[in-house]
C-alpha cells in the first residue's frame, strides 16, 4: 500500500535562515506521526509545506502516491486543525463543521449529514445549534477537529492542537484523541513540543532540531533509546554525562539501590510519589526519583547504590550545537 504521506528532501529557507533542511518522512495509512521538537526547530514549517501553505525550496510532497508539491491546499484532500482552531464566530457549530464538505462540492443536506457524523465522533452531537462563543475551550478544539474530519480526508494535520488548553483538559483530550485516531483509520501528522503528547498520541516520532530530523522511529523506541545526548536531554532524561565527544546515558532502571558504595545525598525534594534526590557519583551527580520505600534507604545523608553497567549507553554528545 502506498504511504498516506511521503516527503522527500524538503527544504525551506527564509533569507539566510534554514527553517527546514532535507526532511524526508513517510506516514502509513492509519498511522500517527508526531513532529516533536523545541520552538523554532522547523516542525510547523514542515507541516505548512505538507498542507500547501508554504512552497518548499527543494523537495517533494506526495499523498497516496500523488505528487502534490505544487498544488494549493484545497486540492490536496487533507484536513487541517490550526493551533487557534480558526472557527467562524458568526456560524453555529453545525455550519462550522459543514463548511468543509460544502467547499468540496457537497450539497447542503449531504454536508450537514457529514457534519453531524463528525460531531458524533468527537462527542458533540447535541451541540449543533450552539454558537462558538458559548463553547468551552475543549469543546472548541473538538469542533475544529470535527470540521477537519467532516470531508473524510485520508490525511489529517494537527498543529499544536492542545496547546491553548489547561493541563487537566489536555490530559483528558489526549486520551480521547488516541481513541479517536484508532477508530478513524486516518493518517495523522501531529506537530507538538510536548513530549507527553507525542508519546501518548503517536505511533511514530520524528524529533527535529534546527530544521533537521535528528531521530525518527517508533515512539517507544525513540523515547527509550535516544540516539544522542541532546535527544536524551530534550526527552527528559536527567542523567547524561559528558565523556569527551561522547556521553554516557544512565537510565534510572540502571540504578540498583541498597547495594554498592554509599554516595552522599546533596538534594532532597519530597513529592506526592516519594522524593527526588541528587546523589554524588564518579560519573557526575545522579538525579533519582525514589518511591517512599526507596527513600527510606537513605541514612546518615547517604544512599548505597551501584550502576548496572549493562544498561548504560554511550552516544554522541551533540549538545554544543547541531
Amino acid at each position: 500500500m502506498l504511504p498516506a504521506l511521503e516527503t522527500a528532501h524538503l527544504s525551506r529557507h527564509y533569507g539566510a535562515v534554514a527553517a527546514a533542511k532535507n526532511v524526508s518522512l513517510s506516514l502509513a495509512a492509519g498511522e500517527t506521526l508526531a513532529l516533536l521538537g523545541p520552538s523554532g526547530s522547523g516542525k510547523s514549517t514542515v507541516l505548512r509545506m505538507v498542507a500547501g501553505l508554504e512552497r518548499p525550496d527543494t523537495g517533494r510532497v506526495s499523498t497516496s502516491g500523488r505528487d502534490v508539491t505544487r498544488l494549493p491546499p484545497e486540492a490536496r484532500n487533507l484536513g487541517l486543525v490550526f493551533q487557534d482552531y480558526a472557527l467562524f464566530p458568526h456560524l453555529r457549530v453545525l455550519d462550522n463543521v459543514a463548511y468543509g464538505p460544502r467547499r468540496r462540492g457537497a450539497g447542503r443536506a449531504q454536508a450537514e449529514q457529514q457534519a453531524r457524523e463528525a460531531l458524533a465522533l468527537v462527542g458533540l452531537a447535541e451541540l449543533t445549534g450552539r454558537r462558538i462563543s458559548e463553547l468551552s475551550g475543549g469543546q472548541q478544539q473538538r469542533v475544529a477537529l470535527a470540521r477537519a474530519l467532516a470531508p473524510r480526508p485520508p490525511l489529517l494535520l494537527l498543529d499544536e492542537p492542545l496547546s491553548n488548553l489547561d493541563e487537566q483538559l489536555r490530559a483528558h483530550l489526549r486520551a480521547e484523541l488516541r481513541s479517536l485516531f484508532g477508530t478513524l483509520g486516518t493518517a495523522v501528522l501531529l506537530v507538538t513540543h510536548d513530549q507527553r503528547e507525542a508519546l501518548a498520541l503517536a505511533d511514530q516520532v520524528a524529533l527535529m532540531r534546527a530544521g533537521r530530523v535528528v531521530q525518527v522511529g517508533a515512539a517507544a523506541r525513540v523515547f527509550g533509546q535516544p540516539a544522542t545526548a541532546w535527544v536524551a536531554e530534550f526527552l527528559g532524561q536527567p542523567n547524561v554525562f559528558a565523556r569527551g565527544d561522547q556521553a554516557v546515558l544512565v537510565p534510572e532502571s540502571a540504578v540498583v539501590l541498597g547495594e554498592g558504595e554509599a554516595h552522599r545525598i546533596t538534594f532532597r525534594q519530597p513529592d506526592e510519589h516519594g522524593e527526588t534526590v541528587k546523589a554524588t557519583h564518579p560519573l557526575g551527580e545522579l538525579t533519582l526519583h525514589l518511591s517512599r520505600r526507596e527513600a527510606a534507604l537513605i541514612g546518615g545523608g547517604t544512599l548505597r547504590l551501584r550502576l548496572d553497567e549493562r544498561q548504560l549507553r554511550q552516544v554522541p554528545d551533540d549538545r554544543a550545537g547541531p
Side-chain angles (χ1 to χ4, degrees), residues 265-276:
I265 300 300
T266 60
F267 172 85
R268 298 183 71 171
Q269 178 65 57
D271 57 42
E272 60 181 320
H273 303 294
E275 290 190 35
T276 297

Side-chain angles (χ1 to χ4, degrees), residues 71-93:
L71 295 182
E74 61 271 18
R76 297 192 179 204
N77 195 24
L78 51 79
L80 176 60
V81 178
F82 292 100
Q83 186 173 344
D84 61 359
Y85 312 146
L87 298 172
F88 302 123
H90 62 290
L91 297 180
R92 296 184 185 273
V93 166

Side-chain angles (χ1 to χ4, degrees), residues 97 115-125 138-139 141-147 149 173 176-177 180 184:
V97 178
R116 292 180 191 279
E117 291 174 1
L119 285 166
L121 279 173
V122 300
L124 296 181
Q139 289 169 334
Q141 190 272 345
R142 284 186 280 175
V143 170
L145 183 59
R147 187 174 66 180
L149 293 172
L173 286 177
E176 281 195 356
L177 287 175
L180 179 62
L184 291 173

Side-chain angles (χ1 to χ4, degrees), residues 58-253:
T58 60
R60 187 183 75 255
V61 178
S62 300
T63 58
S64 301
R66 182 173 68 124
D67 187 344
V68 299
T69 312
R70 305 299 171 185
L71 295 182
E74 61 271 18
R76 297 192 179 204
N77 195 24
L78 51 79
L80 176 60
V81 178
F82 292 100
Q83 186 173 344
D84 61 359
Y85 312 146
L87 298 172
F88 302 123
H90 62 290
L91 297 180
R92 296 184 185 273
V93 166
L94 183 64
D95 292 327
N96 260 280
V97 178
Y99 177 79
R102 290 295 302 273
R103 280 292 304 271
R104 299 190 187 195
R108 175 175 291 276
Q110 178 63 29
E112 289 190 356
Q113 176 62 27
Q114 290 180 223
R116 292 180 191 279
E117 291 174 1
L119 285 166
L121 279 173
V122 300
L124 296 181
E126 305 303 317
L127 301 184
T128 57
R130 292 273 185 95
R131 295 187 181 277
I132 298 303
S133 60
E134 297 172 334
L135 302 179
S136 67
Q139 289 169 334
Q140 290 184 25
Q141 190 272 345
R142 284 186 280 175
V143 170
L145 183 59
R147 187 174 66 180
L149 293 172
R152 301 166 182 165
L155 175 63
L156 181 64
L157 310 182
L158 305 179
D159 189 2
E160 300 274 9
L162 305 181
S163 63
N164 291 333
L165 307 177
D166 63 63
E167 179 51 40
Q168 184 175 3
L169 185 55
R170 289 175 74 172
H172 175 70
L173 286 177
R174 278 197 290 265
E176 281 195 356
L177 287 175
R178 180 69 181 186
S179 175
L180 179 62
F181 294 165
T183 300
L184 291 173
T186 301
V188 180
L189 180 65
L190 165 72
V191 162
T192 182
H193 67 278
D194 188 323
Q195 294 93 334
R196 290 169 300 176
E197 198 169 293
L199 188 58
L201 295 178
D203 305 297
Q204 303 284 324
V205 170
L207 186 54
M208 294 194 67
R209 180 190 189 191
R212 296 185 183 276
V213 174
V214 293
Q215 187 171 355
V216 63
R221 182 175 181 84
V222 170
F223 278 80
Q225 299 182 34
T228 71
W230 182 89
V231 171
E233 287 197 340
F234 179 77
L235 295 178
Q237 292 201 16
N239 299 312
V240 182
F241 304 109
R243 286 295 177 268
D245 62 353
Q246 299 288 299
V248 176
L249 309 185
V250 182
E252 288 206 47
S253 61

Side-chain angles (χ1 to χ4, degrees), residues 29-52:
E31 185 176 68
T32 298
L33 170 65
L35 284 176
L36 174 65
S39 296
S41 60
K43 53 192 187 295
S44 288
T45 299
V46 172
L47 180 138
R48 289 176 65 83
M49 288 191 286
V50 171

